[in-house]
Amino acid sequence: MPLPKAELHLHIEGTLEPELAFELAARNGVELPYADSDELGKAYDFQDLQSFLNLYYELMAVLRTERDFEDLANAYLARAAAQGVRHAEIFFDPQAHIARGIPMGTVVEGLWRALGSSEQNHGVSTRLILCFLRDESAESALETLEAAKPYLDRITGVGLDSAEVGHPPVKFREVYEAAASLGLRRVAHAGEEGPPEYITEALDVLGVERVDHGLRCMESPELVERLVRERIPLTLCPLSNVRLRTVDTLADHPLPAMLDAGLVCTVNSDDPAYFGGYAGDNFDAVRSALGLNEDRLRELARNSFLASFLEDDEERRARYLAEVEAYEFS
Ligand code: HPA
Ligand code: ZN
């Protein structure tokens, strides 16, 4: 039995496995510029975040109907459940779909067809987080929040993703203020490729409660001290960092130093279909490459539930935390 955990940094579009991409392409009559899985596989050798994003956005062309989004989410939930994920807070990128003529309603309703029955079907509780694309304009983010208003009963929070450098958090001050006044929780990617200052800005200007990645905080001792003091969780994605060359090898990952510093770290998969592993695979990888002991692994699992947006269901959080404490490593 795998260690129970929550996944807090997961882009649903990043769970599109090549096999499902070809299946949906055939179903929807979409032509992909790759003959087969072998040829597509060659496109997964990424140099940086942007080179990954190019493929990520390209393959989204196959997602067209509610059923497509439902199938995508069910495939993820089944894989996540098998790796011990008990709770998943799932990002989606509506602007990337709206730009292709797929309305907000198709995306949210389709995802909800899977998420709404996920507890019964997969044993995984879920939350949905709408991400704004930071390389699009602030106006576009405001329009996207407006388009999401009919669906806010299904959306727990907002996030910020896509190309980071050159798109500082301050660009999205207004839309985050609007989201906060709608009662939405706030997170943002910061300090993946961008500088530590983006992490500080996400906290001070956007009011984020968790930082996605946040890896580059390690360049600023003052920032580390603040993150520790304020117990701001970081959603780390070790296999993603290796594949996007944010760290050279997994053995070089700062996770052990971050835990030693007292940071509230969690381990997540980001875009598992692109980066070589789901949540459990990331745990296994850091365990073997970094020699994390059982106390550290349990700490990571505990942190994942403590950092999750389960304030509306504390009974469930307590149940999950009890599962973590009772877990026996094999
Ligand atoms: N970083 C930024 N944006 C993203 C990512 C990521 O790892 N995955 C999907 N969108
Ligand atoms: Zn991400």
Side-chain angles (χ1 to χ4, degrees):
M1 193 183 82
L3 177 64
K5 57 187 76 70
E7 172 132 84
L8 306 178
H9 186 154
L10 181 280
H11 303 265
I12 196 64
E13 296 89 348
T15 70
L16 180 61
E17 294 283 348
E19 300 72 33
L20 184 59
F22 280 108
E23 186 186 321
L24 296 182
R27 188 157 96 190
N28 292 324
V30 173
E31 208 161 317
L32 288 175
Y34 307 94
D36 52 34
S37 286
D38 275 356
E39 199 180 309
L40 173 57
K42 297 192 180 83
Y44 286 69
D45 183 19
F46 309 118
Q47 315 305 311
D48 54 16
L49 174 59
Q50 188 61 55
S51 63
F52 150 71
L53 290 169
N54 294 342
L55 182 65
Y56 171 82
Y57 292 124
E58 180 175 67
L59 291 190
M60 279 185 206
V62 305
L63 297 166
R64 303 210 58 87
T65 67
E66 282 190 23
R67 188 177 151 215
D68 299 339
F69 286 95
E70 176 187 11
D71 290 351
L72 178 71
N74 271 323
Y76 162 68
L77 289 163
R79 285 176 182 264
Q83 297 200 356
V85 173
R86 306 284 284 112
H87 176 77
E89 304 196 345
I90 298 175
F91 295 139
F92 71 113
D93 283 334
Q95 283 157 294
H97 307 302
I98 292 168
R100 305 182 290 110
I102 314 298
M104 179 73 77
T106 301
V107 182
V108 177
E109 297 293 355
L111 292 174
W112 198 257
R113 278 159 61 162
L115 269 50
S117 52
S118 172
E119 270 186 74
Q120 299 91 297
N121 291 342
H122 303 286
V124 180
S125 52
T126 62
R127 297 286 185 275
L128 205 46
I129 299 177
L130 181 159
C131 281
F132 305 113
L133 302 183
R134 66 200 310 152
D135 44 357
E136 297 292 329
S137 68
E139 292 70 34
S140 173
L142 284 163
E143 286 164 22
T144 307
L145 183 62
E146 196 60 37
K149 280 190 177 161
Y151 309 100
L152 289 185
D153 54 337
R154 287 164 186 193
I155 297 172
T156 297
V158 296
L160 190 61
D161 64 5
S162 202
E164 185 181 5
V165 175
H167 303 284
V170 66
K171 179 175 162 187
F172 297 95
R173 179 201 297 269
E174 197 180 341
V175 77
Y176 269 68
E177 281 172 3
S181 65
L182 290 167
L184 292 163
R185 313 293 296 264
R186 287 164 287 169
V187 300
H189 284 52
E192 180 186 19
E193 286 191 346
E197 290 73 27
Y198 282 20
I199 300 174
T200 303
E201 209 175 276
L203 294 168
D204 291 340
V205 178
L206 304 184
V208 302
E209 301 170 76
R210 288 196 305 244
V211 175
D212 296 312
H213 293 296
L215 202 66
R216 290 191 59 192
C217 75
M218 295 304 276
E219 295 168 29
S220 165
E222 300 76 34
L223 178 56
V224 169
E225 198 213 323
R226 176 186 180 181
L227 294 168
V228 170
R229 191 175 61 244
E230 297 182 12
R231 291 195 60 74
I232 306 290
L234 306 180
T235 63
L236 302 173
C237 305
L239 290 175
S240 164
N241 297 151
V242 175
R243 293 296 288 271
L244 299 187
R245 308 191 183 196
T246 312
V247 300
D248 289 338
T249 73
L250 206 50
D252 301 311
H253 200 282
L255 174 62
M258 296 175 89
L259 288 168
D260 287 343
L263 288 162
V264 182
C265 298
T266 66
V267 164
N268 308 271
S269 68
D270 210 2
D271 301 279
Y274 293 86
F275 301 147
Y278 286 76
D281 300 317
N282 273 270
F283 269 75
D284 291 346
V286 294
R287 182 183 197 173
S288 56
L290 299 169
L292 294 190
N293 64 24
E294 292 175 3
D295 286 348
R296 283 303 197 205
L297 295 168
R298 199 186 305 276
E299 177 184 353
L300 290 169
R302 187 186 302 124
N303 287 348
S304 73
F305 293 114
L306 292 174
S308 62
F309 292 149
L310 277 166
E311 280 77 4
D312 57 354
D313 197 351
E314 290 294 352
E315 218 172 282
R316 179 186 299 277
R317 191 198 319 262
R319 209 160 58 236
Y320 289 151
L321 285 167
E323 279 183 41
V324 171
E325 300 314 326
Y327 182 76
E328 289 182 26
F329 288 88
S330 51

